[in-house]
Every structure is written in C-alpha cells, then in structure tokens.
Amino acid sequence: MRGPGRWAVLFALVVLAVVMVFPFAIVAINAVKSPAEYSSDGPLSLPDGLYLQGLVDFWNRVEFGTKLWNSLLISASVAVLAVVLSVLNAYALGIGRVKGRLSILVLFLVANTLPQEALAYPLYYLAKAVGLYDTQLSVIIVMTVIQAAFGTYLLSAVLGQFPKEILEAAAIDGAGRLRSLWQIVVPISRPTLNVLLIFFFIWTWNEFFLPLIFLISNDTQTVPVALAVLQGEKYMDATMSSASALLGLLPAVAFFLIFQRTLTRGVTVGAIK
C-alpha cells in the first residue's frame, strides 16, 4: 500500500494505540506505585520499584477472590446459555420458517433497543416475588434473555442463508431436525457461535447496572459492582484506585487475548462468506 492510504492506516493505528493502550498503561503504572511516589512525582512518572501492597490491600479489603468467582460464574453461564438459546431460536426462525417470523424478529429487535433502566423496575419486583433476589441465578436468567435477544436476531439472518441442499440431503439420510441442528448447522456455524460466545462473556463481565440492582450482598456481588461500591463508601488513595481498576480489567483482557485467534477466525470466515 502506497500514497495517502498508507499514511491513513498508520495514523489510524497510532490513534488506536493511544486511545486503548495509553490509559491501560497509566493504570498499570500507578497500580504498582507507592502513595508517596504518586504524591511527589505525579501520575505520569515511572515507579522506582514495584509496590504491590496496594494490590494486596485491595484484594483483602473487598474479598476480591469471591467477586472474581461470581463474575466468572455469571459471565460463563450467560455466555453458554445465551448462545444455546440463540441457536435454538434462530434455527426455528431462520431455517424452520415459523409463522409470523418477521413479527418475531421485529420483537427481538425492539427488545435490543430497550434501555435497561426501563426493565429494572418490573424485573426487580419479579425477582423479589419468586425469591431469586440477591442471587447469581437472577442475574444469569435476566442477562441470558437480554444477550439471547441480540444473538437470535443476528443468527436468524445468518441461518436464513444456510444452504437448503445440505439439510435436504440430511433429511433423505434419515436425520431429524434436532440431529441436523447439532450435527450439521452448529458445526458449520461454529465460527459465528464462537464470536458470540466471546462477546457475550465480555459484555456480561462488564455489566454494572443490573448486577448493582439485583446483587446487594457482599457474597454475591460482581467485580464492577464491588469496585463502584468500595469507592463510594470508603476512602481510597489514587494508587489503590488504580490497583482496583487493574484487577478488574485483567481477567477480561486475558480472556480476550486467549480467544483472540478464535475471534479473528470467526470474523474472517464471516467476511469471506
């Protein structure tokens, strides 16, 4: 690539690096900096050594191990359940061609546009009525439905273009609808499903509003809720705030890096198709 296009790409990469990498680097630097160094040298200076006491103090103060497990349990459960529910719904809408397909898809589209603030009031009282309030299961159910609404809308468009000849050949061989789904449709659509799984996990991990409403006990809170509640109730110095932000970001970043190749492959396959 030559000419203006090359410089445009380089400029975009530089801007992307500054916007995404620079804030993370500042947080990481201040997380291992002592309060005295922060006060004397400022937030942009490099630390003289690794000061890990802020990370240790924050971990113990908020019982971060419990919060980490809660976020991992909720995010993983929602990601898996939402993908399974999306596949079942999209198979019926995209391939099964059920009656009222267009109206149902419009309903899913409207569900994706609803703000969470509009859902908070009825969902709160519903969770209280059925005895699920302040449990991880309540957040898993609500977030699974929300994520599956998006997944259903997306996969319906993908499966709507699925080659009918393959399914007809499977039917001739005696394969029923359920067998065709799990042995033909799911393996072929696996790159797209992997992308959805990764996005559902990260979106649920970063979710703050609904867990803040449904999880009020210290034993059930997730990482984003614990960070916000701690900073609102107790005094925290700048280095401990950076330590809390770093510990909250690292699991999601690690998950993304581990499955980066899977995500790239899924996007590339979708683009080629």
Side-chain angles (χ1 to χ4, degrees):
M1 183 182 298
R2 299 180 180 179
R6 177 183 179 183
W7 293 108
V9 172
L10 291 177
F11 178 75
L13 292 176
V14 171
V15 172
L16 182 64
V18 171
V19 172
M20 298 185 64
V21 178
F22 182 73
F24 182 80
I26 293 298
V27 170
I29 289 174
N30 290 317
V32 295
K33 186 185 300 183
S34 66
E37 288 179 322
Y38 184 89
S39 300
S40 60
D41 301 332
L44 299 180
S45 63
L46 295 177
D48 297 331
L50 292 179
Y51 179 82
L52 302 179
Q53 191 60 40
L55 293 169
V56 175
D57 292 342
F58 171 76
W59 185 287
N60 295 329
R61 180 177 298 183
V62 301
E63 299 178 4
F64 192 76
T66 301
K67 309 301 187 297
L68 195 63
W69 166 250
N70 291 336
S71 289
L72 180 62
L73 174 65
I74 293 174
S75 300
S77 300
V78 169
V80 174
L81 293 176
V83 168
V84 173
L85 187 59
S86 299
V87 169
L88 294 175
N89 292 338
Y91 183 68
L93 295 173
I95 295 179
R97 300 289 180 176
V98 298
K99 294 182 179 180
R101 172 179 177 273
L102 182 59
S103 301
I104 296 175
L105 287 178
V106 171
L107 181 62
F108 279 109
L109 179 61
V110 172
N112 283 312
T113 61
L114 285 176
Q116 293 184 353
E117 291 78 5
L119 303 174
Y121 184 82
L123 289 177
Y124 167 80
Y125 283 98
L126 181 61
K128 296 276 286 188
V130 298
L132 292 179
Y133 185 67
D134 197 23
T135 63
Q136 292 95 333
L137 182 59
S138 63
V139 178
I140 291 175
I141 294 174
V142 172
M143 292 303 302
T144 296
V145 174
I146 292 176
Q147 306 289 26
F150 172 80
T152 299
Y153 182 77
L154 177 64
L155 287 178
S156 296
V158 175
L159 297 186
Q161 305 299 322
F162 197 88
K164 298 295 188 297
E165 296 80 5
I166 299 179
L167 298 177
E168 292 174 356
I172 294 175
D173 291 338
R177 292 188 177 182
L178 188 60
R179 183 180 175 185
S180 298
L181 171 63
W182 295 115
Q183 295 187 359
I184 298 176
V185 177
V186 170
I188 294 178
S189 306
R190 186 169 298 164
T192 304
L193 301 182
N194 290 336
V195 172
L196 279 180
L197 184 72
I198 295 173
F199 280 145
F200 287 166
F201 182 92
I202 296 178
W203 290 344
T204 306
W205 182 279
N206 293 327
E207 180 62 35
F208 171 74
F209 182 71
L210 291 178
L212 177 65
I213 296 175
F214 285 96
L215 305 177
I216 59 175
S217 299
N218 188 52
D219 295 335
T220 60
Q221 289 178 348
T222 59
V223 171
V225 175
L227 300 182
V229 171
L230 177 67
Q231 296 187 25
E233 290 184 353
K234 303 178 182 179
Y235 170 78
M236 292 182 63
D237 55 50
T239 56
M240 187 172 290
S241 298
S242 299
S244 66
L246 181 63
L247 288 177
L249 285 173
L250 280 180
V253 173
F255 181 85
F256 178 80
L257 293 177
I258 292 173
F259 294 98
Q260 180 182 10
R261 181 173 299 180
T262 301
L263 179 62
T264 304
R265 187 185 302 116
V267 174
T268 304
V269 170
I272 293 175
K273 288 183 179 180

